Amino acid sequence: MRLLIAGPPGAGKGTQSTRISALLGVPHISSGEVLRDAMGTDSRVGESVRAWIDRGQLVPDELVLSLLQQRFSAPDVVEQGYILDGFPRNRRQARLLRYLDPYRSVEAVIRLVVPTSVVRERLRRRGRDDDHASAVRVRLAEYEDATRPMLAEFSRAFAMVTVDAARTVEEVTSRVLAGLRKHGLIKGLDLPSRYAGSALGNDA
Ligand code: AMP
């Protein structure tokens, strides 16, 4: 399965991707995580990535692409697809995705919708290094200027699963799964047994 998850910073893309990845056995690819890993390395690339992330700006497309390339060619992704979180973030990256994706196309876009007031409060509580006020301001502006227009185009090109992400983590997951089911991408309740009896298993 090839899924793309999109929404503003703080919408819960990472949390939902991790859960959906575990439930459906689809590898999670997070561009933010790939970049934070690169930032952890003691290199010039690491240093420049840190500077962009700390300002809340988008890292240049070429750099993101070259760091993501390796992940996309990993055997698990080639065999099982992906749930892609944080990429693409603008129209150009959306075009470049075709070259990264061994299958050349996503099957559905999960769109998490949440009011800015909720996002601000979540980011304030999360407290990641790049959740300070000025970076949050820039990230929200990047989302409005670059990502939202791209998503408007996606809604004409792909199957869309739009979910109110101000709800609880469990409710959001269950609505995402219901949406995927509606589009015929998953069937029935074929959840792994370890989820049986959990809140997730019950409502999924
Ligand atoms: P995230 O973990 O998705 O919230 O991303 C954290 C930060 O990583 C963003 O504010 C950007 O600086 C950078 N980043 C993540 N994904 C991308 C991307 N696709 N293109 C450019 N920068 C990105």
Side-chain angles (χ1 to χ4, degrees):
M1 183 155 3
R2 282 111 49 208
L3 302 173
L4 205 153
I5 189 161
K13 297 186 295 291
T15 304
Q16 293 301 329
S17 301
T18 304
R19 289 165 65 83
I20 292 159
S21 163
L23 281 167
L24 303 180
V26 178
H28 176 197
I29 304 181
S30 155
S31 55
E33 254 170 50
V34 167
L35 290 166
R36 280 187 289 277
D37 284 350
M39 199 169 91
T41 64
D42 198 12
S43 64
R44 260 186 44 214
V45 169
E47 253 173 58
S48 56
V49 168
R50 177 186 303 279
W52 274 297
I53 289 188
D54 191 53
R55 289 193 296 264
Q57 287 171 337
L58 293 185
V59 175
D61 295 343
E62 280 67 25
L63 188 46
V64 180
L65 209 73
S66 73
L67 291 168
L68 278 178
Q69 221 148 24
Q70 210 177 350
R71 185 71 192 94
F72 268 94
S73 49
D76 60 336
V77 173
V78 174
E79 279 161 30
Q80 293 153 59
Y82 51 77
I83 174 157
L84 186 54
D85 153 19
F87 184 95
R89 263 179 155 91
N90 58 36
R91 286 195 178 104
R92 181 151 180 267
Q93 290 186 359
R95 282 196 303 277
L96 293 170
L97 176 59
R98 243 172 289 155
Y99 301 97
L100 279 177
D101 179 0
Y103 293 90
R104 304 279 173 254
S105 169
V106 303
E107 290 172 285
V109 176
I110 299 161
R111 182 170 191 174
L112 301 181
V113 178
V114 60
T116 308
S117 56
V118 174
V119 155
R120 283 186 201 283
E121 175 57 21
R122 282 186 185 171
L123 294 177
R124 201 181 55 75
R125 273 187 282 140
R126 181 171 72 175
R128 205 169 70 188
D129 279 354
D130 59 335
D131 289 338
H132 57 88
S134 71
V136 166
R137 209 164 34 240
V138 175
R139 274 152 66 207
L140 288 171
E142 292 274 20
Y143 180 78
E144 292 302 326
D145 296 346
T147 311
R148 197 190 278 280
M150 175 197 80
L151 286 173
E153 283 182 12
F154 278 9
S155 63
R156 290 190 289 272
F158 300 110
M160 298 292 290
V161 174
T162 301
V163 174
D164 169 9
R167 293 173 179 275
T168 65
V169 169
E170 289 78 12
E171 279 172 333
V172 174
T173 307
S174 126
R175 280 162 191 246
V176 168
L177 294 176
L180 294 176
R181 220 172 274 134
K182 214 165 91 187
H183 285 290
L185 289 165
I186 54 173
K187 290 194 190 71
L189 288 172
D190 46 4
L191 298 177
S193 57
R194 65 181 178 280
Y195 286 99
S198 69
L200 185 55
N202 286 336
D203 66 7

